[in-house]
Amino acid sequence: MTRSPVNFHNNGEVHETTLINPTSGLAFSTVTSLDLAECDAAIDRASAAFPAWRAVAPSDRAKLLRRFADLVDEHLEELALLEVQNAGHTIGNARWEAGNVRDLLEYCAGGIERLTGLQIPVAGGMDVTFHEPLGVVGIIVPWNFPMPIAAWGFAPALAAGNTVVLKPAELTPLTAIRLGELGREAGLPSGVFQVLPGEGPVVGHRFVTNEKVAKVCFTGSTRVGTALMAACAPQVKRVTLELGGKSANIVFADSDLERAASTAPSGVFDNAGQDCCARSRILVEASVYDEFLEHFCTAVAKVVVGDPALGETEMGPLISAAHLQRVASFVDGTCEVLFQGEVPNGQGFFFPPTVLLADSPASRVVTEEIFGPVVVVQRFNNEAEAIQLANATNYGLSGSIWTNNLGRGLRVARAVEAGNLSVNSHSSVRYSTPFGGMKQSGLGRELGPDAIRAFTETKNVFFATE
Ligand code: NAD
């Protein structure tokens, strides 16, 4: 089956990407990639649709987004199964991800009529602020969470009155294409929300160079993100960056150690570790190091790795053969492997949950984002050293702190340089709370109460009364 996005017909050379099911390793579909001319034509359509879309009454725009949310809900199982097939996500995760799209659409719909400005006391008149939409917003999505990350961009951008062009990752375009179709079915006018499958350096880069795109919202690697930010500079193009991570899970001796150990696998192996928030470094206080490792390895051994379509599966395959090879390269014998789980036989891109013991803080497994089910354990002697180790990275996205000492939990949470932390939990993503990275993990925030404002420009207007 070849999927083409709505409204597109390739006249010249047709570029097709073959999609591989990561669980079986077998091809199951192809998708047509857009060329530059088609991308520009879509941006022209988005630009032409903007004046009418921003003029839609707030309550009507909210109704359209609610209808879109309802359609996502009605197609939740279809979307989830598509993600299991295309990205190898476990069915439980994929259902949550489609539900996250629905919930965020609802949340943003609720924000449209609350996008209020200020009235500021001034002499000689009245001063008010407006949150103006930007115009066309380009959203670039990675392959690891194709549905939620697409929605974290398009839902607030549409709510604010922008039109959207969205480029899914080459490997995982199917759910985004389907969401584009559902948006049209919900009644979004033509040109308001278009999904443009294509290559990063072609379609993604065009969002940067085309002057009709006012903002680029990029989620992906720090390598591509930094180059993209530099390329946005000549136009002073607005940019949000959500980049990589190497987050720490800090376990203090005064925590509920069994709980810290039994939950640690989910903090790092969820989505087979292909999670920008993965707690891929576990820092353990020296006095409980051995005890923690014993409980932790018992918990890792229980992680159910297998067919992601089965309800009981907790960890599926990696996204591609190339990524499998990259992840495997980190387990090269230079670090002690404390424990390694099992994977199913066959052609799928599975890698076992793997626990490494850090030999040195400079080791590649400690400093680089592996983006697979590989965790490295380090030991610390006191609170100051725990904070120092947690911050010894250019990344700053996420992390967890396990302690039953309230004061310590607060002190360490304030001291760790990361945008999203959890104390006695590994939960860092909710549609209603802000999400984003410090340092080289990103720029700007998504989700939460200010999500819509990130897609607006504040305008100040003074009315003279004298
Ligand atoms: P990637 O940077 O290779 O690609 C991300 C997207 O950018 C893809 O759609 C790709 O086609 C596009 N792209 C590639 N080159 C481009 C270019 N020159 N111009 C414009 N677009 C281009 O990243 P990936 O491998 O797909 O995703 C994994 C990375 O994403 C990891 O580093 C992960 O940590 C990060 N990530 C971050 C967050 C976050 O919220 N901070 C969330 C998920 C993933």
Side-chain angles (χ1 to χ4, degrees), residues 141 143-144 167 170 218-221 242-244 276 369 435:
V141 183
W143 47 258
N144 66 326
K167 193 201 88 60
E170 291 87 330
F218 173 85
T219 305
S221 61
E242 296 287 2
L243 308 174
C276 50
E369 183 181 42
F435 179 82

Side-chain angles (χ1 to χ4, degrees), residues 139-145 149 152 167-172 198-208 216 218-225 227-228 241-245 274-277 319 323 369 371 395 397 420 435-437 441-442 446:
I139 296 166
I140 301 175
V141 183
W143 47 258
N144 66 326
F145 286 112
I149 291 173
W152 298 0
K167 193 201 88 60
E170 291 87 330
L171 296 173
T172 56
E199 291 167 16
V202 180
V203 174
H205 189 63
R206 197 63 178 155
F207 292 177
V208 174
V216 177
F218 173 85
T219 305
S221 61
T222 298
R223 182 183 63 79
V224 175
L228 183 136
L241 300 175
E242 296 287 2
L243 308 174
Q274 304 166 117
D275 183 338
C276 50
C277 291
I319 189 68
H323 191 54
E369 183 181 42
F371 224 51
Y395 292 116
L397 189 57
N420 313 273
F435 179 82
S441 282
E446 297 186 303

Side-chain angles (χ1 to χ4, degrees), residues 63-400:
K63 265 184 211 140
L64 283 170
L65 290 200
R66 287 200 184 95
R67 211 180 292 154
F68 191 178
D70 289 346
L71 278 179
V72 171
D73 193 47
E74 281 168 34
H75 293 82
L76 194 138
E77 197 62 15
E78 176 200 337
L79 287 162
L81 289 170
L82 214 48
E83 210 68 286
V84 172
Q85 185 182 39
N86 194 177
H89 288 198
T90 61
I91 183 68
N93 278 10
R95 286 184 184 126
W96 181 91
E97 290 157 20
N100 183 254
V101 178
R102 171 202 58 213
D103 295 344
L104 183 61
L105 279 165
E106 290 273 0
Y107 181 69
C108 289
I112 297 174
E113 290 176 281
R114 296 177 178 85
L115 191 57
T116 51
L118 296 171
Q119 182 268 308
I120 301 169
V122 290
M126 181 182 71
D127 194 283
V128 288
T129 63
F130 296 92
H131 297 292
E132 305 286 17
L134 304 168
V136 180
V137 171
I139 296 166
I140 301 175
V141 183
W143 47 258
N144 66 326
F145 286 112
M147 278 192 277
I149 291 173
W152 298 0
F154 75 68
L158 292 172
N162 302 282
T163 54
V164 168
V165 284
L166 183 144
K167 193 201 88 60
E170 291 87 330
L171 296 173
T172 56
L174 294 186
T175 45
I177 292 174
R178 190 71 188 108
L179 287 169
E181 291 167 356
L182 293 175
R184 282 305 306 276
E185 205 178 315
L188 292 179
S190 173
V192 166
F193 176 37
Q194 300 172 84
V195 176
L196 316 180
E199 291 167 16
V202 180
V203 174
H205 189 63
R206 197 63 178 155
F207 292 177
V208 174
T209 55
N210 189 312
E211 294 195 352
K212 289 184 180 165
V213 176
K215 173 167 182 167
V216 177
C217 183
F218 173 85
T219 305
S221 61
T222 298
R223 182 183 63 79
V224 175
T226 48
L228 183 136
M229 185 180 175
C232 282
Q235 290 177 39
V236 198
K237 188 166 291 201
R238 276 64 180 139
V239 62
T240 298
L241 300 175
E242 296 287 2
L243 308 174
K246 188 73 185 177
S247 300
N249 174 10
I250 310 174
V251 181
F252 286 98
D254 60 19
S255 64
D256 178 342
L257 204 64
E258 280 185 35
R259 209 168 136 236
S262 65
T263 57
S266 71
V268 59
F269 299 138
D270 191 49
N271 204 28
Q274 304 166 117
D275 183 338
C276 50
C277 291
R279 278 70 167 162
S280 53
R281 293 182 294 148
I282 305 185
L283 314 181
V284 187
E285 191 159 0
S287 59
V288 291
Y289 183 79
D290 291 334
E291 191 187 346
F292 174 85
L293 284 181
E294 203 181 312
H295 290 308
F296 179 52
C297 288
T298 306
V300 176
K302 288 184 188 155
V303 174
V304 182
V305 183
D307 180 352
L310 302 175
E312 66 268 24
T313 299
E314 293 170 315
M315 201 185 102
L318 294 169
I319 189 68
S320 65
H323 191 54
L324 172 61
Q325 212 174 15
R326 185 181 169 276
V327 169
S329 78
F330 282 90
V331 188
D332 59 1
T334 52
C335 255
E336 184 185 340
V337 178
L338 181 68
F339 180 84
Q340 191 155 45
E342 308 268 322
V343 293
N345 294 324
Q347 300 299 308
F349 310 134
F350 289 91
F351 193 79
T354 302
V355 182
L356 302 179
L357 299 184
D359 49 350
S360 134
S363 157
R364 187 173 162 239
V365 296
V366 176
T367 59
E368 290 183 30
E369 183 181 42
I370 300 174
F371 224 51
V374 179
V375 68
V376 61
V377 187
Q378 293 173 274
R379 104 175 64 199
F380 66 83
N381 291 304
N382 53 47
E383 190 178 307
E385 193 188 1
I387 294 166
Q388 182 263 322
L389 285 173
N391 289 340
T393 167
N394 288 331
Y395 292 116
L397 189 57
S398 193
S400 303

